Amino acid sequence: MAEARAAAGRKSHKGRSAAGQAASRRELISRSVHSAEQCLRDHDYGTAYAHYLLVLSLAPELKQDFKETFQYALFKWAEELYALNRNQDLFNCYEQAFELYPNDDVICNSMGEQLFRLGFRDEAAGYFYKALKLNPDSAEAKENFYRVANWLVERWHFIMLNDKKRNLMYQRAIEKAVQAGCRTVLDIGTGTGILSMFAKRVGASHVYACELSRTMYDLACEVVAANEMQGGIKLLHMKSHDIQVPEHIPEKISLVVTETVDAGLFGEGILESLIHAWKNLLLEPKNKDFHSERYGQVIPAGAVVLGMALECPEIRKHHRVFVKEVAGVKLGVQFSSPVHSGPKNDDVAEPYSTEKMSRVPGGYKALSQPFQALTVDFNSLQDLESIASGKTCRISVQIHEQGQLDCFITWFVLHLDEEHSLSTEPSEETCWEQAVFPIQNLPADGYLVKPGDIVVVDVSCPDCYLRLDLVSVSRGGKLDHTTSCSNMVSGNELCDALASLHTSHQQDIVQGPCILDPNEIAMLNNTAYHESFKVAINKVISSLAPGDNWASNGVLSSEEHYSDALYVLDVSEGFSILPLIAAQLGKVKSYSSVEEEQHCATLQKLTERNGMSKESLEFWLNQLDTDDDVLKRPKSDKLWSIIILDLVEPCGLIRQEVMEKAAIARCLLQSGGKIFPHAVAIYGMLIESPTLLQECAVQGTEPTLGLHIAPFINHFKVPVQVFLNLSTLPCVSLSDPLELLRLDLMDPCLNSFSFAHDLKVQICKSGQVTAIPFWYHIHLDEDITLDTSQETSHWKQAAFVLDSPFHVVQGEEILLGVHLQNSNISMTLKRPQQ
Ligand code: 44T
């Protein structure tokens, strides 16, 4: 009895407490919600976040209602943790958030952003990818994923994997070596694992593959498993230099296969990798005198680097400022592109750029025959070491055509073995680009060469990059001392050369030339661009400035003179001389948003040398504390007369931030003031281009000789291809160009960046639509327009590539859906309903 009572008591006690607990749970939840809300109002995000966490773990049924507020608290708190460098806490928060919302694209995307800014790009990609899968319409996830995809899986992977000829040649060479007795294989820089799978397929007994990129290694694991070779290929996520026998590989191997070569052959470090492999990983090489069954060998066996002197206006345009005066501004300073054989410790210097010469707009002219620049035997450690030590070879190149000496280009023939070779020469149908060595720093009249002239170059490979240094040009058999020069921008030789050649001021020689990005150089050379701005700016200035005291002459030096000045702000990205063009047009105070010290100094020099007063040019960003303030009034009692925005990137995309800036800019203009441009029209057309498809995604199993690679690497495909040269892209137009979308930047309603509509397109030729390239008409005002598809422009074009080709018939009408969300453009095709 006593026991029963006790039990009943316990029961009733339990019953009471259940009801009580529910009540106190409710009470706790409501108090926590209340506190959380209070904390949010007080900007105490950490505590708010903790309260919401408690609320949602107590009351999961509230998850939906509180989702957005919870995310807000989480993101705000994460910002603080990031600022405090409390990264572990930050990730713990996200982990808790994922427990509550395991399939939320917004949290996933945000986690990716955190990882990305902390440098974990591979991991970030995974989260962006997941976010995009969870919500295919998420503009943020799309933008983020495409950005990292481009970064993690470089676009040439698609191009190389689609190059069937190259794949076949490698497979044959590997097969031959394996059949000749090479049983153990190491693939250096395996990428997706293709060469390793070839080796396995043709009978190698042990295959090892190393890959230093995390993303590519993960991809290779997936691909190898999908091709059911995971048992036969050992993948190592490491740089080949770190491989040791027997830790990673049980014994020395007989064959190294690799395609770690770039357009300049050595840029992926093949010399160092093979020197290390010969010393540590490979069996002894084949010995002529002493015949052994087991020896080490490398595919490719060797290579020949060939070069040629060229005239090429497009390359000139990107690497040499050849205009002396731009829209009235004299360019009396020295500019230089970062692409030159500078000294090793020079951060900005790139030894060469790469270009697919067969597709350079405007083409090129060969000024010399091809010459052999260098040969390398990858099976000779001695040869590898000699080249890596910086051995220089001086070559005299005979000029046989008259023209401007704009650059040297190089390509190579890769001898996989005695029988199988690949050539990357411009005329070859290959995936390869060529290395371009622009000629710079000659006096203006020094570039013209004639048949019979001799150009002397030094070829070397001192720091793993191929170098071509111009030594001298001898004209008509006589060494021309005025052009005897070094391509280097520093060093005594050049200083001497500059001192004697240029009338430029002593200051330039001390500071060196102003280094501009090739796109910035192309822009400076674009006179039409600057002239158009000059006319448009002048119109606004004359409409706003009464009287003739606005004449541009007469140096105004003191601050008072500017009290009634017009204010012009240029928020262009990078180097821009538009503020100087504006400043010479009257009583104008120009603000430049150039940031680099060297660029500021150059603009100041130009102001001075063009006889403009110091006060006419100010640097806007220097006066601001944070980026958020980029757009504000010039002075508390002043508004801007002109705000210049830089809406289109050189790669052919719209800058999203600029659209946002435009919305603010509109409100900061004085009456009659203008934003440049005032409108932008996006143009496009339907094309059939197998080439573009091949650069975008691996086309099935055919090019990869039956191996399943496409579905895996194609995860990383992006729909918009950039930096295209539309004028030389192999393609057929299936429609005329048409206006796709017009953005009116002066429209007060333009503050959301999502546009969508359908357009009717007339088909002018039957075919498969694979892509829609697009470009812009930038309307500075009603009369003045810049077209970014013109060959003189410094812009390239972009294209939206369809997921699958769309068949069209001549004469029919198709509906083209255009959708712009932030800076993402996407397009769809469909037939109109009958
Ligand atoms: N691109 C040519 C260069 N790796 C090919 O991580 C031609 C460029 C190109 N892994 C347009 C067209 C083309 N140990 O995934 C990369 C890289 C990896 C290594 C381990 C090493 N020592 C290395 C060195 C490199 O190898 C893979 C391939 S590098 C090939 C470069 C189509 N633009």
Side-chain angles (χ1 to χ4, degrees), residues 22 94 101 138 170 290-291 311 354 408 419 506 510 526 542 546 560 570 637 651 671 700 752-753 822 826:
Y94 276 88
Y101 301 97
S138 160
Y170 258 97
F290 172 70
H291 199 75
E311 173 178 273
T354 68
F408 285 101
E419 206 183 319
Q506 191 63 29
V510 179
N526 186 354
S542 10
E560 288 92 66
D570 176 16
D637 60 338
C651 70
S671 144
S752 99
F753 307 110
N822 298 337
S826 64

Side-chain angles (χ1 to χ4, degrees), residues 97-246:
F98 282 126
E99 271 173 37
L100 291 171
Y101 301 97
N103 291 318
D104 186 80
D105 64 291
V106 180
I107 300 178
C108 244
N109 179 60
S110 166
M111 173 75 172
E113 287 175 349
Q114 303 291 357
L115 286 163
F116 188 84
R117 66 176 175 183
L118 287 166
F120 302 104
R121 301 209 158 91
D122 298 271
E123 292 78 0
Y127 280 94
F128 295 145
Y129 186 70
K130 190 171 167 198
L132 196 54
K133 287 286 142 197
L134 289 167
N135 177 8
D137 292 330
S138 160
E140 290 77 18
K142 244 188 246 178
E143 201 158 328
N144 284 329
F145 179 71
Y146 295 153
R147 188 161 51 123
V148 285
N150 268 324
W151 178 292
L152 293 173
V153 178
E154 290 179 72
R155 300 298 101 182
W156 50 256
H157 280 287
F158 297 99
I159 303 173
M160 287 183 84
L161 289 165
N162 278 321
D163 187 348
K164 188 174 175 185
K165 186 173 159 198
R166 162 233 178 216
N167 297 339
L168 258 177
M169 210 60 95
Y170 258 97
Q171 175 161 277
R172 287 192 193 133
I174 293 169
E175 184 165 23
K176 190 173 152 193
V178 170
Q179 278 171 2
C182 290
R183 288 296 141 99
T184 49
V185 179
L186 170 65
D187 175 4
I188 296 181
T190 195
T192 52
I194 188 167
L195 300 186
S196 297
M197 293 187 287
F198 287 162
K200 195 69 222 166
R201 205 154 69 161
V202 299
S205 53
H206 294 92
V207 179
Y208 306 93
C210 65
E211 172 53 58
L212 54 84
S213 139
R214 173 89 225 176
T215 307
M216 292 314 297
Y217 165 80
D218 289 341
L219 204 54
C221 293
E222 271 189 276
V223 169
V224 166
N227 289 278
E228 294 175 352
M229 292 194 217
Q230 65 274 43
I233 298 172
K234 185 174 174 199
L235 287 156
L236 303 160
H237 175 215
M238 59 204 303
K239 196 169 178 176
S240 64
H241 306 54
D242 300 323
I243 300 179
Q244 285 174 5
V245 176

Side-chain angles (χ1 to χ4, degrees), residues 580-746:
L580 295 189
I581 292 175
Q584 57 163 5
L585 294 175
K587 209 193 259 180
V588 168
K589 214 166 157 65
S590 273
Y591 287 78
S592 160
S593 49
V594 155
E595 275 175 318
E596 272 182 52
E597 214 176 290
Q598 196 202 13
H599 293 175
C600 296
T602 302
L603 280 184
Q604 273 165 337
K605 253 186 268 171
L606 288 175
T607 314
E608 198 185 308
R609 288 181 195 174
N610 280 278
M612 289 182 252
S613 90
K614 265 196 177 126
E615 282 78 23
S616 60
L617 177 74
E618 301 268 350
F619 293 99
W620 189 230
L621 284 175
N622 295 352
Q623 312 183 341
L624 303 168
D625 301 333
T626 68
D627 262 7
D628 302 339
D629 287 339
V630 172
L631 286 171
K632 60 175 194 184
R633 290 161 169 262
K635 288 206 171 111
S636 55
D637 60 338
K638 287 273 183 195
L639 287 164
W640 298 104
S641 305
I642 295 174
I643 297 179
I644 300 170
L645 301 166
D646 188 6
L647 198 62
V648 181
E649 291 187 58
C651 70
L653 294 179
I654 287 211
R655 286 197 171 95
Q656 150 72 12
E657 332 81 71
V658 178
M659 302 266 289
E660 285 162 20
K661 277 182 197 164
I664 310 169
R666 278 197 304 273
C667 311
L668 298 172
L669 291 178
Q670 69 168 105
S671 144
K674 290 265 160 68
I675 330 181
F676 290 145
H678 84 142
V680 170
I682 308 181
Y683 274 73
M685 66 175 168
L686 312 188
I687 62 161
E688 173 169 335
S689 173
T691 309
L692 206 47
L693 273 191
Q694 292 196 349
E695 294 180 1
C696 240
V698 177
Q699 304 294 308
T701 52
E702 207 239 2
T704 53
L705 314 181
L707 293 170
H708 299 286
I709 301 181
F712 304 96
I713 191 153
N714 289 354
H715 278 160
F716 289 90
K717 77 176 179 188
V718 302
V720 175
Q721 294 289 99
V722 291
F723 279 117
L724 297 177
N725 292 314
L726 203 49
S727 62
T728 57
L729 179 76
C731 71
V732 177
S733 312
L734 304 181
S735 82
D736 287 333
L738 74 155
E739 185 177 304
L740 302 180
L741 201 71
R742 196 183 163 95
L743 303 171
D744 183 356
L745 279 82
M746 289 297 270

